[in-house]
Amino acid sequence: MQYKNPIIPGFYPDPSICTDGKSYYLVCSSFNYFPGVPLFKSDDLINWEAIGSVLTRNSQLPLRGVGNGGGIYAPTIRYNEGRFYMVTTNVSSGGNFYVCTDDIYGEWSEPIWVEQGGIDPSLYFEDGKAYFMSNGADDDGVEGITQCEIDIETGEKLSKSKCIWKGAGGRYLESPHLYKINGTYYLMAAEGGTEYGHMVVCARSNSIYGPYENNPANPILTNRNLGGYRIQGCGHADLIQDKNGNWWMVHLAFRQTGLWSMYHTTGREVYMVPVTFTDDGWFVAGENGTTPEIVTTDRLPKINQQNEIEYTFENAKPGKEFVFVRNPNMENYTFSDKKICIKAGQTTLSDAEGSPGFVAIRQQHMGGVVSCLVNLTAVEDNSEGTSEAGLSVYMNEWHHYDLAVVRKGESTKVIKRLCVGDIQYVQESIDIESPEKDIRLDISFTPDYYSFNMINDGKEYNLGTAQSKYVSTEVAGGFTGVMIGLYAVSEQKNVTAEFSEFKAVFRED
């Protein structure tokens, strides 16, 4: 059979995977979005269902003032003796911690903190012992992959942190994961930076604390030398053995907007390649050490894979598909299968501190359309302030494109605003002649452009386009991907925006 990469499209970086022997479970980084650490389930490794998020409470995930370069980095999920563990780093508040649950569909514990620095933590269980590793400096100041034994109930260190591997020689050693396979310990990590030079490397040892022998074939997976190829940035991987004994590697990568266009907008996504152990005891991954778009394999039965994704308010829910920037005030939101209502506050999408009235969904392919009806309630305080509500193509507080209904006094307009770095510019503005009629906003997109449209009283208005590259990671920076969401903001009190007839369709271009 064949399957197509990515297996989970859109901004879902740093994948980690485990199994309870029945199903497979996968988590990803979430940075400054709430709730944190999206959680997926699959029975076939190809089609994944969003079942919620791991960090769902403010006490687990404080995010005030956190930009898209902060917050939650690189989680690892593991299953041991009937319990799931997720370990991660809040780089903006507290450092390394883990949470646990006996019910993958239920609530997770409060954070259990570990006094070891670095990022990209991982857990390994063996013979009743729990080992914690991260990349950073050990207790003697030696840089590399560091490991210690911990009390899994309390997070207390039971041994000194020791550097067990300094990597294969590339920059930015990160993403350590440890496995014991056929009596040998394999330590897998990433190097090269989570950009175009990203790669997966590994080492092995007969002892858990090493010394670890560097794989002479490193890197075992990278697309860094593939010019004119859309899939780039392969790295940060985790291994899983399926029910038939086959090994697989999930990893992050991203898709360029074109073969020779070095921009990507949908963030780092989840990819998968087969892994094969060789006669010398090492393993190889992918297609000659690279990740192809189409994987042909006899390891899986024929599986139907979804190529077009469609969301409405009926099948997209807050905490699963819909998320918030930083910690939201949930009293300002009302959700149903028909509409979402947002009580407008004064925090804007360009605010770097608070949580704007904004609920967003990940852009999962570079082709598609998002549309909805927007209705702003009447203003009660008779002030002259401005209220607006609409759709936003949002990369971060510095880079977003807004299509919005704007009301001030008796005036109603629809605007297109482009925010690119320090430049915030209302490029188009159309007066609405029938504000009492439905106003539909529509953003369609291709790899290179977003197009903005409005329909009112049966008349369609085009507000032009905007280039996708200005909301790409290469221009905007950070570690996230484009989100498309619904927002409301007002200088007045008691203003509510109602969004209905929402549809988001993402299709492969």
Side-chain angles (χ1 to χ4, degrees):
M1 64 87 65
Q2 290 184 333
Y3 69 87
K4 192 168 189 177
N5 276 312
I7 56 171
I8 304 179
F11 157 53
Y12 292 109
D14 308 321
S16 178
I17 190 170
C18 76
T19 180
D20 61 357
K22 300 176 182 178
S23 298
Y24 307 99
Y25 300 93
L26 186 146
V27 294
C28 301
S29 297
S30 51
F31 294 90
N32 64 331
Y33 286 96
F34 188 94
V37 186
L39 175 63
F40 295 88
K41 175 189 175 184
S42 176
D43 292 322
D44 59 21
L45 288 173
I46 302 300
N47 294 292
W48 292 86
E49 172 196 3
I51 61 174
S53 297
V54 174
L55 305 177
T56 59
R57 304 187 296 276
N58 292 341
S59 58
Q60 298 169 314
L61 185 56
L63 289 173
R64 179 166 178 80
V66 175
N68 74 339
I72 294 296
Y73 279 24
T76 297
I77 188 169
R78 293 293 182 257
Y79 180 77
N80 183 61
E81 296 183 351
R83 179 166 292 178
F84 291 92
Y85 297 85
M86 188 285 299
V87 59
T88 188
T89 313
N90 187 332
V91 298
S92 306
S93 180
N96 290 321
F97 69 95
Y98 58 93
V99 293
C100 57
T101 186
D102 295 332
D103 178 8
I104 195 70
Y105 291 95
E107 290 289 312
W108 293 66
S109 71
E110 286 298 298
I112 301 170
W113 301 93
V114 180
E115 291 186 6
Q116 178 166 303
I119 58 172
D120 297 4
S122 187
L123 290 172
Y124 174 75
F125 297 92
E126 182 178 86
D127 297 334
K129 295 182 178 181
Y131 298 87
F132 179 94
M133 67 176 59
S134 61
N135 66 305
D138 69 11
D139 289 348
D140 295 320
V142 180
E143 295 279 346
I145 302 302
T146 63
Q147 181 173 266
C148 66
E149 184 183 348
I150 63 170
D151 182 334
I152 197 62
E153 297 298 324
T154 66
E156 178 186 1
K157 288 173 63 172
L158 301 179
S159 68
K160 289 182 61 176
S161 296
K162 178 185 176 182
C163 177
I164 60 174
W165 192 43
K166 293 187 177 182
R171 65 175 183 164
Y172 303 138
L173 176 64
E174 59 186 329
S175 175
H177 293 308
L178 185 65
Y179 318 89
K180 191 175 186 180
I181 304 171
N182 298 327
T184 299
Y185 293 96
Y186 292 88
L187 179 56
M188 193 166 67
E191 291 180 340
T194 185
E195 300 151 353
Y196 288 85
H198 215 21
M199 53 187 170
V200 180
V201 295
C202 74
R204 68 184 180 188
S205 176
N206 292 322
S207 170
I208 193 168
Y209 278 104
Y212 279 85
E213 172 194 3
N214 185 55
N215 187 340
N218 277 329
I220 58 172
L221 185 80
T222 185
N223 280 17
R224 65 183 181 179
N225 297 319
L226 297 182
Y229 193 74
R230 291 188 72 178
I231 297 175
Q232 298 290 337
C234 300
H236 201 111
D238 202 1
L239 296 179
I240 190 72
Q241 187 176 31
D242 69 21
K243 301 167 187 176
N244 297 316
N246 300 305
W247 286 92
W248 302 87
M249 177 187 291
V250 295
H251 66 87
L252 69 78
F254 56 81
R255 288 172 290 173
Q256 296 181 156
T257 56
L259 293 180
W260 301 101
S261 175
M262 294 186 68
Y263 300 100
H264 70 284
T265 54
T266 53
R268 298 168 298 161
E269 308 168 301
V270 182
Y271 293 70
M272 188 176 76
V273 291
V275 168
T276 301
F277 281 81
T278 55
D279 292 339
D280 59 3
W282 293 107
F283 58 87
V284 295
E287 187 176 282
N288 298 319
T290 67
T291 297
E293 182 179 14
I294 303 296
V295 177
T296 301
T297 178
D298 60 1
R299 299 183 179 188
L300 298 172
K302 185 175 181 180
I303 299 170
N304 293 322
Q305 187 176 9
Q306 192 173 16
N307 293 318
E308 182 173 289
I309 303 165
E310 181 175 318
Y311 293 114
T312 66
F313 287 150
E314 292 183 351
N315 66 358
K317 301 301 179 184
K320 291 185 179 180
E321 293 80 14
F322 279 112
V323 294
F324 310 86
V325 177
R326 308 181 191 97
N327 300 100
N329 181 355
M330 294 306 297
E331 294 181 354
N332 293 334
Y333 298 87
T334 303
F335 298 92
S336 75
D337 289 346
K338 299 297 183 183
K339 62 184 179 181
I340 289 179
C341 295
I342 303 176
K343 183 179 179 181
Q346 295 189 5
T347 302
T348 71
L349 293 176
S350 297
D351 192 292
E353 294 292 326
S355 182
F358 180 52
V359 58
I361 196 166
R362 288 162 169 84
Q363 182 180 331
Q364 295 185 13
H365 288 303
M366 283 171 273
V369 61
V370 176
S371 66
C372 67
L373 297 182
V374 181
N375 179 40
L376 272 171
T377 61
V379 177
E380 298 179 5
D381 62 4
N382 296 318
S383 68
E384 290 299 316
T386 300
S387 300
E388 70 176 76
L391 296 173
S392 182
V393 175
Y394 181 91
M395 174 57 89
N396 58 37
E397 58 265 28
W398 294 98
H399 294 260
H400 52 94
Y401 300 151
D402 310 326
L403 178 65
V405 178
V406 177
R407 286 185 176 169
K408 184 175 182 180
E410 299 298 320
S411 170
T412 301
K413 302 177 181 290
V414 168
I415 66 164
K416 179 182 73 173
R417 179 191 297 112
L418 307 182
C419 298
V420 180
D422 292 322
I423 302 172
Q424 298 192 15
Y425 173 50
V426 176
Q427 188 182 58
E428 299 288 344
S429 179
I430 297 175
D431 291 324
I432 298 299
E433 298 177 358
S434 304
E436 74 283 356
K437 302 285 188 178
D438 287 340
I439 300 175
R440 177 175 292 278
L441 302 182
D442 177 302
I443 301 177
S444 59
F445 39 92
T446 66
D448 296 321
Y449 289 96
Y450 294 91
S451 299
F452 303 85
N453 296 277
M454 178 268 293
I455 300 174
N456 173 240
D457 197 19
K459 299 179 182 178
E460 184 170 353
Y461 304 83
N462 180 268
L463 286 84
T465 63
Q467 294 182 63
S468 64
K469 69 179 181 180
Y470 294 114
V471 289
S472 70
T473 299
E474 287 76 10
V475 174
F479 301 111
T480 58
V482 166
M483 314 288 281
I484 301 181
L486 318 170
Y487 80 96
V489 61
S490 180
E491 297 172 340
Q492 301 168 309
K493 297 179 180 179
N494 303 317
V495 174
T496 298
E498 179 182 284
F499 301 89
S500 59
E501 296 188 18
F502 172 83
K503 180 179 287 189
V505 179
F506 302 111
R507 63 179 69 94
E508 297 181 54
D509 56 282

